[in-house]
Amino acid sequence: MEYTGSKYIGEYVDGRMEGKAKYILPTETIYVGEMKDGMFHGEGTLYLPSGSQYDAIWENGLAIKGTYTFADGLHYDEKNWHYCDGYDRRFHTEILNGLKPAGMAQLTNMDPPRKIPRGYYDCGDGFCNPVTRVVKDYRNRFLRNADDDEHEWITRTCRKG
């Protein structure tokens, strides 16, 4: 664990992570559930730093069946996914709480929307500096360097501060 930056709180069998456990990854994603031979196995939930979660049945480290829930409570449904599609472009909060009066546009699912630093773009998982192309999460932690394609997409489609 000391080499990966992860933290394991749970049971061991023959020196291997096995049984009920809590596994904290360096990205602050937390797995709570069953382990077998050092892998996610059985029922378990991944809690993401964004507030979203993935409840799944795991088999030898792979999710074989699961449900994704966004931080705002919206459940992803693979077969009947109609959120923000070509027919209904409302945000989840608009579906739950109704539309705003005419002239008061809602720009994101978050209402009021996140304040974007001057000159930066909100690319959905963080802010992008268009000069350095560095994307940092909303807590100002490094996520990635945007390549040419992502940089072009961000500057063409994302909200700018």
Side-chain angles (χ1 to χ4, degrees):
M1 297 296 129
E2 63 188 81
Y3 300 110
T4 64
S6 300
K7 183 177 181 181
Y8 177 77
I9 303 162
E11 302 170 354
Y12 288 89
V13 174
D14 296 326
R16 305 281 299 172
M17 297 181 287
E18 197 157 314
K20 296 196 182 297
K22 181 176 187 178
Y23 189 88
I24 306 168
L25 290 94
T27 60
E28 296 181 18
T29 297
I30 300 170
Y31 172 79
V32 177
E34 300 171 48
M35 302 280 286
K36 181 179 177 186
D37 199 26
M39 294 180 278
F40 303 164
H41 191 85
E43 292 183 16
T45 302
L46 279 174
Y47 296 95
L48 293 104
S50 66
S52 300
Q53 70 182 58
Y54 184 64
D55 300 293
I57 304 295
W58 302 83
E59 195 169 285
N60 298 319
L62 299 174
I64 57 171
K65 182 180 179 185
T67 306
Y68 186 85
T69 306
F70 293 88
D72 63 4
L74 175 66
H75 295 281
Y76 175 71
D77 183 346
E78 187 175 346
K79 292 185 175 92
N80 299 305
W81 184 248
H82 299 294
Y83 173 65
C84 224
D85 63 10
Y87 301 104
D88 187 351
R89 302 296 299 169
R90 293 177 295 164
F91 291 109
H92 183 57
T93 51
E94 291 175 315
I95 293 168
L96 293 176
N97 305 322
L99 295 172
K100 291 184 171 283
M104 294 182 66
Q106 185 168 332
L107 302 174
T108 70
N109 189 49
M110 183 182 283
D111 189 37
R114 199 174 262 114
K115 183 168 172 41
I116 305 169
R118 181 183 296 280
Y120 284 65
Y121 290 87
D122 184 349
C123 54
D125 60 350
F127 298 123
C128 178
N129 179 331
V131 176
T132 64
R133 297 186 177 194
V134 170
V135 178
K136 292 186 178 182
D137 70 10
Y138 297 121
R139 294 192 211 155
N140 203 35
R141 296 176 301 189
F142 177 84
L143 288 177
R144 66 186 171 280
N145 292 310
D147 64 16
D148 290 341
D149 291 336
E150 184 181 22
H151 181 260
E152 188 274 329
W153 179 84
I154 288 170
T155 57
R156 181 174 40 83
T157 62
C158 295
R159 292 186 319 118
K160 185 176 182 181

